[in-house]
């Protein structure tokens, strides 16, 4: 199918639509469910322990949906081939949904059956993305397939650990580390590019430093630091390399002219989320040494870095690909602020009470409120046909 002869539902006309829609709705619903499970108000019937279900679904449920939406939108541009549309997208969406239902214990499947139902999605994504890139002979972007394939391997590891040991250990950190690595890899490509384009339109003459040897070293060292953390999460050497990696990512961010983007909240979000990633790595390093609680760094990375970056990417991609001006506006700016607030409350103030509510509860409320607002704004745009294309001067104003 091509863009020109597709006549099916708008929600299946482009890769970002069904998966961003699924991710936004899932994120808005899953944390209230988790809160009720954690408080003992809801009994989870999953084959996973409650904590493992929570962590797994944020990484391999929400995170995998956003990654799929991004890749199926970006790969046609990389490969020069027509985008996947219609029934193939519907089938992939159903596979993702079956995984969520199976993990919740709502299908008559044993642990191995649940593992097959859940792991099928990422395996399918890796195969399809590899096929498209190879068919388009765009070998430079083939490296994106490796972390997606490894993310599938991390998911398999997660299931094996739960089946054999009753809970996950390495799979938790392996999955989180791979999503963070994808942010450093893809974020390091799109953030400087978007920033440069915006600065050109503002008449600026100083631009972000293009990808070079320093960036390659930062990404490689960051990957090594994350692998060490996966293997040895509580060691002084792990803390040292993670803190150093965070410093290096801050240095990388400083070369992208983040401060100059303050007039474009939509663009600034990307820079802030990358900065939170760097801060989260340093906090996780401090936790490995024993200076702070491990949950502080994990939630700064999970809520702030992954949540913040994915929200910023989904907003921007949906605006641009549905024919709307690239302007955040008050609603989307508030959404991002709520996600950042949720990260701060859960990481820094979990035991502090405000108006009778703990920092953990406030964090859950902020996250849910942010994604509820995001759903109200994005779901109609994702499900309905695109708006008429804006004039270039308006559509690319941010």
């Amino acid at each position: 199918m091509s863009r020109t002869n597709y006549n099916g539902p708008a929600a299946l006309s482009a890769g970002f639509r069904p998966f961003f829609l699924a991710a936004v709705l899932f994120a808005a619903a899953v944390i209230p469910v988790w809160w009720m499970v954690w408080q003992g108000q809801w009994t989870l019937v999953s084959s996973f322990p409650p904590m493992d279900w929570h962590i797994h679904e944020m990484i391999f449920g929400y995170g995998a949906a956003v990654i799929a939406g991004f890749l199926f939108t970006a790969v046609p541009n990389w490969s020069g081939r027509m985008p996947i549309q219609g029934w193939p997208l519907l089938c992939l969406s159903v596979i993702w949904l079956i995984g969520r239902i199976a993990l919740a214990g709502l299908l008559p499947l044993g642990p191995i059956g649940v593992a097959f139902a859940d792991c099928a999605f990422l395996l399918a994504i890796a195969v399809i993305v590899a096929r498209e890139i190879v068919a388009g002979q765009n070998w430079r972007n083939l490296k994106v397939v490796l972390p997606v394939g490894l993310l599938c391997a991390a998911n398999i590891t997660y299931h094996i650990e739960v089946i054999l040991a009753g809970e996950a250990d390495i799979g938790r950190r392996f999955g989180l580390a791979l999503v963070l690595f994808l942010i450093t890899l893809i974020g390091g490509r799109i953030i400087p590019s978007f920033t440069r384009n915006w600065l050109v339109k503002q008449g600026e003459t100083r631009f972000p430093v293009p990808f070079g040897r320093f960036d390659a070293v930062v990404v490689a060292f960051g990957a090594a630091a994350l692998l060490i953390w996966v293997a040895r999460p509580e060691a002084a050497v792990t803390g040292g390399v993670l803190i150093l990696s965070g410093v290096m990512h801050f240095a990388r961010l400083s070369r992208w002219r983040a401060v100059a983007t303050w007039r474009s909240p939509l663009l600034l979000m990307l820079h802030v989320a990358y900065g939170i990633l760097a801060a989260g790595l340093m906090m996780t390093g401090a936790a490995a040494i024993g200076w702070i609680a491990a949950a502080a760094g994990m939630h700064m990375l999970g809520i702030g870095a992954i949540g913040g970056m994915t929200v910023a990417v989904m907003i921007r991609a949906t605006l641009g690909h549905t024919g709307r001006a690239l302007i955040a506006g008050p609603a989307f700016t508030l959404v991002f602020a709520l996600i950042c607030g949720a990260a701060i409350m859960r990481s820094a103030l979990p035991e502090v009470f405000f108006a009778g509510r703990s920092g953990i509860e406030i964090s859950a409320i902020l996250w849910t409120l942010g994604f509820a607002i995001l759903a109200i704004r994005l779901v109609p745009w994702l499900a309905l046909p695109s708006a008429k294309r804006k004039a270039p001067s308006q559509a690319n104003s941010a």
Side-chain angles (χ1 to χ4, degrees):
M1 300 180 187
S2 71
R3 285 190 181 94
T4 55
N5 64 14
Y6 176 76
N7 295 313
L12 299 174
S13 62
F16 72 95
R17 288 180 180 269
F19 295 119
F20 285 0
L21 193 154
V24 169
L25 293 177
F26 184 71
V30 74
I31 293 302
V33 171
W34 164 241
W35 179 258
M36 288 187 286
V37 171
W38 192 59
Q39 292 292 305
Q41 301 171 7
W42 190 322
T43 300
L44 189 67
V45 295
S46 173
S47 58
F48 276 29
M51 184 61 73
D52 277 315
W53 174 82
H54 166 58
I55 296 172
H56 180 278
E57 290 304 87
M58 298 315 297
I59 297 172
F60 300 104
Y62 169 77
V66 179
I67 290 169
F70 173 83
L71 288 177
F72 281 160
T73 304
V75 166
N77 294 326
W78 298 344
S79 66
R81 289 164 55 84
M82 287 295 134
I84 297 173
Q85 297 173 310
W87 67 264
L89 277 184
L90 177 60
C91 291
L92 287 169
S93 302
V94 170
I95 292 172
W96 177 87
L97 182 60
I98 289 174
R100 311 290 59 77
I101 297 173
L103 256 295
L106 302 178
L107 292 178
L109 299 173
I112 295 178
V114 170
F116 275 102
D118 178 51
C119 295
F121 178 70
L122 279 170
L123 179 61
I125 298 301
V127 170
I128 293 172
V129 169
R131 182 200 68 183
E132 291 298 300
I133 292 177
V134 170
Q137 298 184 358
N138 190 269
W139 311 112
R140 182 170 64 94
N141 288 302
L142 194 59
K143 59 181 179 288
V144 175
V145 178
L146 178 60
V148 177
L150 289 174
L151 191 61
C152 181
N155 197 11
I156 295 171
T157 301
Y158 207 119
H159 282 271
I160 291 174
E161 286 186 310
V162 171
I163 292 171
L164 297 181
E167 63 178 2
D169 180 31
I170 292 176
R172 293 180 178 181
R173 296 188 299 278
F174 193 17
L176 181 63
L178 286 166
V179 178
L180 293 170
F181 175 72
L182 278 169
I183 290 176
T184 67
L185 187 67
I186 297 174
R189 178 172 181 165
I190 66 175
I191 298 173
S193 174
F194 292 162
T195 302
R196 188 186 192 284
N197 294 341
W198 183 79
L199 290 173
V200 167
K201 295 181 184 303
Q202 307 307 307
E204 297 276 352
T205 56
R206 291 179 54 232
F207 305 117
V209 179
F211 188 94
R213 185 175 300 175
F214 176 76
D215 298 89
V217 170
V218 172
V219 172
F221 185 85
L226 287 169
L227 286 176
I228 293 172
W229 173 65
V230 170
R232 298 188 62 191
E234 299 177 354
V237 63
T238 302
V241 295
L242 283 173
I243 291 172
L244 179 56
S245 176
V247 172
M248 293 172 70
H249 280 292
F250 269 125
R252 187 188 190 199
L253 177 62
S254 71
R255 295 152 53 94
W256 294 342
R257 298 219 58 203
V259 176
T261 66
W262 66 270
R263 290 173 293 171
S264 174
L266 189 64
L267 187 54
L268 184 60
M269 291 176 191
L270 297 170
H271 290 269
V272 171
Y274 199 93
I276 294 174
L277 182 147
L281 289 174
M282 297 178 70
M283 291 176 67
T284 305
I289 297 172
W291 294 342
I292 62 175
M298 291 279 285
H299 284 95
M300 184 60 75
L301 290 172
I303 300 174
I306 296 177
M309 185 63 76
T310 53
V311 162
V313 168
M314 285 192 291
I315 292 171
R316 185 182 185 96
T318 302
L319 288 172
H321 288 283
T322 60
R324 292 170 171 86
L326 295 178
I327 299 173
F332 290 137
T333 303
L334 175 61
V335 167
F336 186 79
L338 289 170
I339 300 304
C340 291
I344 293 170
M345 293 302 299
R346 184 61 184 87
S347 299
L349 303 168
E351 304 301 328
V352 177
F353 280 79
F354 298 90
R357 299 184 184 275
S358 70
I360 297 177
E361 185 176 4
I362 292 173
S363 175
I365 292 172
L366 294 177
W367 171 280
T368 304
L369 181 59
F371 273 95
I373 297 172
L374 190 64
I376 291 171
R377 294 300 306 274
L378 288 192
V379 167
W381 298 350
L382 293 168
L384 299 175
S386 298
K388 291 183 178 180
R389 178 62 58 182
K390 305 292 183 181
S393 59
Q394 183 181 4
N396 298 310
S397 60

